[in-house]
Every structure is written in C-alpha cells, then in structure tokens.
Amino acid sequence: YKKVKYIEQNEKLSENKKIYISKLLTYFDDSGISLQGNERAKFIALNKEQNALTIKFNNNVMAQLNLENFQVHVSDESELEGLPKRVITSAKEKADQLGIEGWVFGSSSENFFAIYDYAKSDALRKRFWIEYNSTNNKGDKFDNQEIVKRLVAIRHEMAKMLGYKNHAERMLVNRMAKTPEKVFQFLNDLADKSRTKATEEVQILQAYRAKITGDNSPFKPWEFRYWSQQYKKDHFNFDKEKLTPYFEITKSLDGIFKVAEKLYGLKFKYRNDLPTYDPTVKVVEVLRANNEKVGLMYVDLFEREGTKRDGAWMMPLISQSRTLQGERIPPVVSINANFAMASDGSSYLNFDNLTTLFHEFGHALHGLMSNVELKTQTGMSVKWDFVELPSQIMENFCYEMEALKLFAYNDDGELIPEEYIEALKKSDKFGGAFSMMSQLHRGALDMGYYTDLGENGIQDLLSLEQEATKNFQLLELTGLEKPYATSFQHIMVGGYQAGYYSYKWAEVLDADAFAAFEETGDIFNPTISSKFETLLSSGASKDEMQLFIDFRGREPSVDYLLRRTGIID
C-alpha cells in the first residue's frame, strides 16, 4: 500500500496507469488497510462472516429453485389453455420424471414467461406468482430472511468503519453515478417521466379486461403481462409466440456470429477437439479475418437440474493479458443460460430468450475484444453502471430485419416476415412505461436496503421494501406479497449491491449509442462499429464517461430511451 502511494505521488504515469493506481488505492482503503488493532480484527471477522453468508444465501436459492422444491402442479388440463405446446410437453415430461399425474412446471425462465404471458387460467398464473414470490421466504430450511438482515447489517457496519455513511456510499465510489443522491435523482427522474404513461397503460388494460370478462377489480401483479399480450393480439394483430419457430437455437447462435462478423469482421470456428464439462457445451474459437486469435468462448445454454444456477450470465474464465514482451494473450469466456431442450434434442427460443442470448453475447464480446495493457482493466472490469452497455446494445439487433435475415428462418426455410417485426416494435412500446417503472421499482428496493432504511437494522423485510418502493408502485398491493430480496441474487450475492439501477443507466447509454448506427441508415455502419470496437477494446483503461463521449461526441441523453419505450414521441 505504501509503495503504491509512493508511485502515485512520485512517478510520471500514463492515463491508464493513473486510473489503475487510483482504483487500486480505493480497493486497499475499502479492504480496511487503515484500520488498526481490534478494529482491523473485527473488520476481517465481519468480512469472513459476509463471505460465508453469501455462499449460504446462494446455495439456498439454487436449492429452492430446483424442481424438487419448486413445483407448480396442474391436474386439470383446462388450466393449460393458451400455453405454447412445447411448454406443455416439457411440463408433462417433468411430471413423468417425478412420477406425478398431470403436468409440473418448474422455475425456469421459459415457464415464467409462458405462464405469465399466455396462460388463460388466472388461477394458474396466481399460483405460479405466489410460488415464485415465496422463494426462500417460506420459513423452511432454505429461508433467507435472517441471512438478508445479517448481510445488510454487516455491510453497513463495515462501510461505517471505513468512514462512509452507509454501504451504498461505499459501493458508489467506483461507479459512474458516484453518490446515492445521484442514483435516487436518476431513478425518480425517470419515474416522474414514466408514471403518467404507465398508469394510462394499466387503465387501458383494466378497461380491456372488464370489456371481455366484466371484472372491474384492480389489476393484480399476475395479470398485467397476460392481458397485455391479449390486448396486443387484438390491437396490433401480434403475438410474440408467432416468432418462436424462426429462432431455432443453433441457427440463432450462428446468426449472432454473423452479426458480429458484419460489425467487427470476426470469424467463429467450432472447436470440437477441445474438452467440455458437459456434452451440450460448445467451444468456439474467435478469429480476425487474418486468422489472428481473438479468444475462446464456451457456450453453455441448456438447463441442468440441480447442478446449474438459474438465469443467464457471461463469465470471464481467463482475462485478456500480455506477456512480458507485450504480446496479447487471448481471453477465454463463457456464455451461460438455462434454455429448455425438448426430448428430441431440439430447442426453439422465444423472443425474450433470443434477446437474452444476444445480451450475454454482448458481454462476451466485451471480454473477447479486450486489448488493454493491464489485465485488471480488461472487459468486464469497467464500472458496474457501464458494464451493461456492451450487452444491452446487442439486443437492438433482434429488432432489425437486416440482422434477422442472417438467421431467422423457420424449418421450411422461410424468413421471418417483416410485418411481424414491425408489429413487435409497435407492441413492445405498449407496456414500455410499465416495464420501466417495474425495473425502477427493483432499483429503488436495492437502494432501500443499502441506504437509510437498511442501515439501522431491519425488523421486517417486506415493510422495508414497500417503504423503499412506494414512489414506484403502480398496482394495488394484494396482501400476498413476500419479501423479494430473499432470492434477489443480484443485490445480495451478485455484486449489484446499490447497483441494480445500473441496468436502466446502461439502457440510457445503449439507446443513445445504437441511435448512432440508426442515424447513418446502416445498423452495420463500419465507421460507427469501428468507434464502438474502440470502446469495447478499451475496457477500464479510460474513464467510462470519456469513452462514451469519445464514441458519441457528447454525454448521453435519456430522450433516446424514453422514445424507444414509447414514453415520448
């Protein structure tokens, strides 16, 4: 620590080394190096306890979401009405596997979207919602409520020992937003601009439901997505499920590679000679047009009951670095998901899963294309509220025919109709404000735990969450709510503590950045892609806001996101 301080004060450093030294000193300070005696011993003990609790929290979530412990059983076939055939088939296979009559739905994202979007049975959607929202708060051996209380208390105590007001202040030192006040301003500003439109969307859907069913009661949380889909079918002549036959998973993966080839001149070669840890995992070598090695990517896309955590993520396995002679050492990354595979080995992605695949591949590109001097500044080492820009910008290509024509063909070889995509764009704007408020709601919940509401000890998780999110609550409370944080891995064990807002922050960045392509009339514009490649390859070797300014010529504007979500024209 003293040597690094000496270097900071006495050596002439390049910009990237100044950034690295500053980050390293902050890391030293946040590790409690200035603490002495009993204080240092206490800090170390708290950190060890925190580490043990995060492991226990994560293990509890994985266990609770296993099919053994998360089951929504259907015995009445009429409750399946509206669900996609492949989802029903999978549920039947799960029931047979468990030796149960009927159909069993597990916690997979496939079931989540299918039931909320398409199940005509309000009872099924309600049962699934109750089961999902009861994850790790049932008072059983997997209950995480006391773990959450203790984790939050530990983090606030450690932050105060380091001189911060609360844990959020500590976490935000190394993020673009800098302070809790700036985060709250960001969340509330977007909420203020979205609330009227979101309320209008809820009222439209309630009137639509009342017209069909005669039910004038307030909307329940398990109703919005379903009635939104029905409304879109009627008013936009559109159903997202019509898109699925065009997104066979192998073709979609190859299509993503073709998009990256058009953007950055990359080549992708399957390496069947390299070992994998599961038969469904593929290894792909990424090359430049001149065969220069960019890196390796492990592609692990299918669910594995009991051995793989839920969700989707990208993981750097070996970060890009350099030899002592300065030669670039290529990185190794993995992209991971939990897509369902049919018993015949086939798999088709719904549109939400397709965007998830593009999203994680965007993270992979950030890691793969890294070309920095210092290993600690590669790819994903950027600030948390910048890290989602490279992933979220890739989702935009899922809406563009110029990209879709590279891969979106059904089994008869027919290209996805352009009118489907135009209808998708229009329909996605309906509900955009509600979706915005939902994500802001989770960001506010996160900040509630790590600022004033959580720093003096938590008596009741649900009370804290409802107080923290009252400015973002659109639907009336049902009385069936349970604390969300008990399974909210992002903010408890995933590094997004006081950082969940960064998804929306990065959406502001990505909407603005993709507009740079759109404004040229060419989503593969080589000049813009070259400038964005510079941003990707720079990692954390430069200030993140400066990287954006270098790319766009100015700081980001929220207007592009508000326009994309239909909140403003």
Side-chain angles (χ1 to χ4, degrees):
Y1 177 65
K2 289 177 180 177
K3 287 179 179 179
V4 174
K5 288 287 283 184
Y6 178 87
I7 290 170
E8 179 194 41
Q9 294 165 5
N10 296 282
E11 297 289 337
K12 195 169 184 179
L13 300 169
S14 60
E15 181 186 5
N16 68 312
K17 288 182 178 175
K18 284 179 183 176
I19 291 170
Y20 169 67
I21 290 293
S22 174
K23 194 172 183 178
L24 183 58
L25 288 172
T26 301
Y27 171 77
F28 270 122
D29 290 334
D30 269 12
S31 296
I33 199 164
S34 61
L35 301 175
Q36 302 295 325
N38 291 337
E39 281 242 302
R40 176 177 287 190
K42 182 180 179 182
F43 189 88
I44 291 170
L46 287 171
N47 198 42
K48 285 181 179 178
E49 185 183 359
Q50 175 186 222
N51 292 340
L53 288 174
T54 57
I55 293 169
K56 189 174 182 183
F57 179 100
N58 206 43
N59 288 343
N60 283 348
V61 173
M62 290 180 69
Q64 187 89 84
L65 291 176
N66 280 347
L67 188 61
E68 179 186 346
N69 299 308
F70 184 109
Q71 298 175 17
V72 175
H73 180 231
V74 172
S75 55
D76 182 353
E77 190 169 1
S78 67
E79 284 198 317
L80 304 176
E81 186 178 352
L83 291 174
K85 184 179 178 180
R86 70 182 186 283
V87 174
I88 295 173
T89 301
S90 176
K92 182 62 178 171
E93 290 171 354
K94 291 287 192 294
D96 292 344
Q97 174 188 329
L98 294 166
I100 298 174
E101 287 294 321
W103 299 263
V104 171
F105 295 93
S107 64
S108 72
S109 59
E110 179 86 359
N111 289 336
F112 180 93
F113 290 118
I115 290 173
Y116 285 148
D117 287 353
Y118 300 111
K120 187 174 181 179
S121 168
D122 190 68
L124 174 58
R125 281 184 272 108
K126 180 179 179 179
R127 289 208 314 278
F128 192 84
W129 183 86
I130 289 172
E131 183 67 21
Y132 211 90
N133 284 273
S134 299
T135 307
N136 302 107
N137 55 46
K138 298 177 181 179
D140 58 12
K141 63 182 179 180
F142 304 124
D143 194 291
N144 276 336
Q145 292 182 80
E146 293 306 315
I147 292 177
V148 168
K149 291 177 184 178
R150 184 59 186 151
L151 275 174
V152 172
I154 288 171
R155 287 165 179 166
H156 280 303
E157 186 171 3
M158 290 173 72
K160 288 179 178 178
M161 290 176 74
L162 296 172
Y164 297 103
K165 181 183 176 184
N166 51 46
H167 185 63
E169 193 173 85
R170 178 189 180 193
M171 297 302 291
L172 288 162
V173 166
N174 277 318
R175 290 176 181 159
M176 292 177 76
K178 301 294 186 188
T179 66
E181 291 74 22
K182 184 70 178 286
V183 174
F184 282 119
Q185 180 186 349
F186 174 74
L187 294 174
N188 286 312
D189 181 49
L190 279 178
D192 290 344
K193 290 174 178 174
S194 306
R195 188 177 293 102
T196 300
K197 184 77 172 179
T199 302
E200 178 186 314
E201 289 169 349
V202 173
Q203 291 169 345
I204 288 170
L205 289 184
Q206 286 187 169
Y208 174 73
R209 182 195 60 182
K211 181 180 177 182
I212 294 172
T213 68
D215 182 1
N216 287 298
S217 65
F219 245 31
K220 306 297 190 298
W222 53 84
E223 292 183 296
F224 185 89
R225 288 183 66 103
Y226 173 76
W227 286 105
S228 181
Q229 290 295 330
Q230 298 305 306
Y231 180 87
K232 289 174 182 181
K233 281 183 188 178
D234 281 357
H235 289 76
F236 302 110
N237 190 28
F238 179 71
D239 176 6
K240 266 189 182 179
E241 192 59 27
K242 292 196 297 186
L243 306 177
T244 300
Y246 297 91
F247 301 138
E248 192 276 324
I249 194 164
T250 302
K251 289 179 187 174
S252 298
L253 186 61
D254 288 343
I256 288 176
F257 296 161
K258 290 174 183 175
V259 168
E261 181 181 355
K262 290 199 74 171
L263 281 170
Y264 307 116
L266 300 175
K267 297 192 302 182
F268 297 82
K269 176 184 175 184
Y270 286 98
R271 290 292 303 271
N272 299 322
D273 56 317
L274 295 177
T276 63
Y277 49 89
D278 186 85
T280 63
V281 177
K282 300 179 185 298
V283 187
V284 180
E285 186 171 27
V286 186
L287 305 160
R288 294 284 181 187
N290 62 2
N291 289 324
E292 176 191 349
K293 292 182 179 181
V294 176
L296 277 181
M297 178 170 60
Y298 282 72
V299 182
D300 180 3
L301 300 181
F302 296 104
E303 61 183 350
R304 290 191 296 279
E305 293 284 352
T307 62
K308 187 177 183 183
R309 75 171 174 87
D310 193 35
W313 66 97
M314 172 273 192
M315 184 180 293
L317 303 176
I318 301 175
S319 297
Q320 177 256 318
S321 59
R322 294 191 178 277
T323 65
L324 291 175
Q325 291 73 37
E327 181 183 352
R328 181 180 183 271
I329 299 174
V332 181
V333 305
S334 69
I335 56 172
N336 312 269
N338 276 275
F339 302 140
M341 183 189 291
S343 56
D344 63 2
S346 66
S347 182
Y348 291 81
L349 303 176
N350 62 35
F351 188 76
D352 293 305
N353 285 339
L354 181 75
T355 57
T356 294
L357 187 55
F358 268 76
H359 180 106
E360 299 308 334
F361 181 72
H363 280 311
L365 283 178
H366 199 190
L368 287 165
M369 299 177 76
S370 176
N371 192 17
V372 295
E373 180 186 3
L374 304 174
K375 184 177 181 178
T376 50
Q377 294 180 332
T378 184
M380 301 276 282
S381 59
V382 295
K383 293 184 172 98
W384 276 104
D385 37 10
F386 191 78
V387 77
E388 296 297 335
L389 166 60
S391 56
Q392 288 177 187
I393 195 171
M394 290 302 296
E395 295 181 32
N396 292 279
F397 291 92
C398 299
Y399 294 83
E400 300 294 332
M401 281 305 298
E402 284 303 302
L404 292 169
K405 68 172 57 170
L406 299 173
F407 67 94
Y409 295 82
N410 64 17
D411 290 343
D412 294 325
E414 298 167 336
L415 175 65
I416 192 168
E418 188 166 0
E419 58 264 30
Y420 283 13
I421 302 306
E422 290 307 310
L424 170 68
K425 290 178 182 178
K426 288 178 183 176
S427 69
D428 264 12
K429 284 192 175 181
F430 182 85
F434 184 90
S435 177
M436 171 83 79
M437 291 295 288
S438 296
Q439 201 159 2
L440 295 173
H441 185 283
R442 288 190 286 274
L445 182 151
D446 168 35
M447 292 299 289
Y449 275 103
Y450 294 117
T451 52
D452 295 347
L453 293 176
E455 66 179 336
N456 295 318
I458 304 169
Q459 300 304 312
D460 180 69
L461 301 184
L462 184 59
S463 297
L464 179 147
E465 292 184 7
Q466 291 179 351
E467 176 65 23
T469 58
K470 62 185 180 184
N471 192 41
F472 305 86
Q473 185 71 36
L474 288 174
L475 304 181
E476 291 186 21
L477 297 175
T478 65
L480 298 172
E481 286 76 18
K482 295 290 185 71
Y484 190 60
T486 54
S487 60
F488 199 173
Q489 290 167 295
H490 278 73
I491 71 166
M492 287 297 150
V493 299
Y496 276 85
Q497 303 135 36
Y500 198 81
Y501 77 91
S502 60
Y503 278 103
K504 198 52 68 179
W505 183 283
E507 271 194 69
V508 170
L509 300 180
D510 101 68
D512 196 331
F514 191 70
F517 288 93
E518 293 178 305
E519 287 162 4
T520 70
D522 177 9
I523 61 167
F524 296 110
N525 183 283
T527 302
I528 304 300
S529 2
S530 176
K531 290 172 71 175
F532 199 74
E533 181 177 348
T534 299
L535 180 150
L536 290 175
S537 64
S538 298
S541 65
K542 199 169 185 178
D543 176 75
E544 286 81 355
M545 183 59 79
Q546 191 57 52
L547 281 174
F548 188 91
I549 292 170
D550 290 347
F551 168 70
R552 200 69 168 103
R554 54 166 173 74
E555 291 195 1
S557 165
V558 299
D559 287 351
Y560 294 93
L561 177 60
L562 295 173
R563 195 169 294 119
R564 186 171 75 186
T565 49
I567 294 168
I568 63 172
D569 296 325

